[in-house]
Amino acid sequence: MKSCLIIFSTTDGHTKKICERIFNILIETHKIKILDLSGAHFEDLSSYNIIIVGASIRYGKHKKELYEFIRTNRRILENTETCFFSVNAVARKSEKNSPSTNPYMKKFLKQSGWIPDHTEVFAGEIDYKKYKFFDKHIIRFIMWLTGGPTDISRKYDFTNWDNVQLFADRLINK
């Protein structure tokens, strides 16, 4: 049984939800553990056959800690089977929902210099009700500019959960 580590970097919890779904799919076929990015610094990464990293975008950027983690663990990541997925609202658009067309994925790969074995992009979630005043209105403005939903009384889950299933299935069938 292969051992798998899932690491998530999330702002509002949606990336964690996606990682938990992957965890629940892989648990039947893998010895598996899930950790927040901050907890992964204390983990022996070399003891895993597969490392999956999922990270969210806020205001066009992945967290600085993600880049730091990649830099610190670069050698281990390059010698292990790895997967990286980015979670962002831009991926709600069909022309920006693949690793080769998503601007945040392309930017991350270029800036980090890391070449994961597998990449994926998942559309995220906009939950206006949970945001503080500033974030709520900035995100609403960004959504207005990009043709997204602007009703601040609602939550919008853009994630294609079937694609999350397919991503995990591909890992099982490797």
Side-chain angles (χ1 to χ4, degrees):
M1 185 177 276
K2 287 186 176 182
S3 60
C4 178
L5 176 63
I6 301 175
I7 301 167
F8 62 90
S9 170
T10 190
T11 303
D12 296 309
H14 194 69
T15 302
K16 180 181 180 186
K17 247 193 271 187
I18 293 171
C19 287
E20 288 169 342
R21 178 75 60 96
I22 294 167
F23 176 93
N24 288 326
I25 295 165
L26 296 180
I27 197 162
E28 298 294 322
T29 57
H30 292 72
K31 180 181 171 198
I32 192 162
K33 187 172 189 176
I34 187 169
L35 291 172
D36 182 273
L37 180 63
S38 61
H41 290 285
F42 306 104
E43 192 71 16
D44 177 10
L45 301 181
S46 65
S47 66
Y48 294 93
N49 302 110
I50 302 170
I51 299 172
I52 302 169
V53 179
S56 65
I57 290 287
R58 177 58 63 91
Y59 301 132
K61 297 180 182 178
H62 289 98
K63 292 182 178 180
K64 288 183 226 164
E65 296 83 6
L66 175 64
Y67 290 99
E68 192 177 295
F69 175 81
I70 301 301
R71 247 187 326 277
T72 302
N73 296 288
R74 182 80 177 259
R75 190 171 355 156
I76 293 169
L77 293 171
E78 288 175 348
N79 292 307
T80 306
E81 184 176 356
T82 56
C83 305
F84 175 75
F85 64 86
S86 179
V87 178
N88 54 79
V90 166
R92 75 188 187 281
K93 297 180 175 190
S94 61
E95 70 275 12
K96 295 182 181 181
N97 69 357
S98 75
S100 63
T101 61
N102 187 271
Y104 300 123
M105 175 62 83
K106 294 191 311 189
K107 180 179 169 183
F108 171 78
L109 294 174
K110 183 178 181 179
Q111 287 183 345
S112 72
W114 175 40
I115 303 171
D117 297 297
H118 314 281
T119 56
E120 191 55 75
V121 175
F122 298 118
E125 173 182 272
I126 301 292
D127 188 354
Y128 288 111
K129 295 181 282 183
K130 96 165 50 162
Y131 302 143
K132 293 180 181 173
F133 181 85
F134 178 78
D135 287 332
K136 181 182 301 196
H137 292 286
I138 292 296
I139 292 169
R140 182 181 192 203
F141 179 66
I142 292 167
M143 286 293 107
W144 177 78
L145 287 173
T146 62
T150 57
D151 180 349
I152 59 174
S153 69
R154 296 201 41 216
K155 173 181 172 180
Y156 303 90
D157 183 351
F158 302 111
T159 307
N160 182 329
W161 292 100
D162 290 339
N163 285 348
V164 174
Q165 177 76 44
L166 288 171
F167 174 77
D169 288 346
R170 282 193 302 270
L171 292 174
I172 290 170
N173 296 320
K174 284 199 70 37

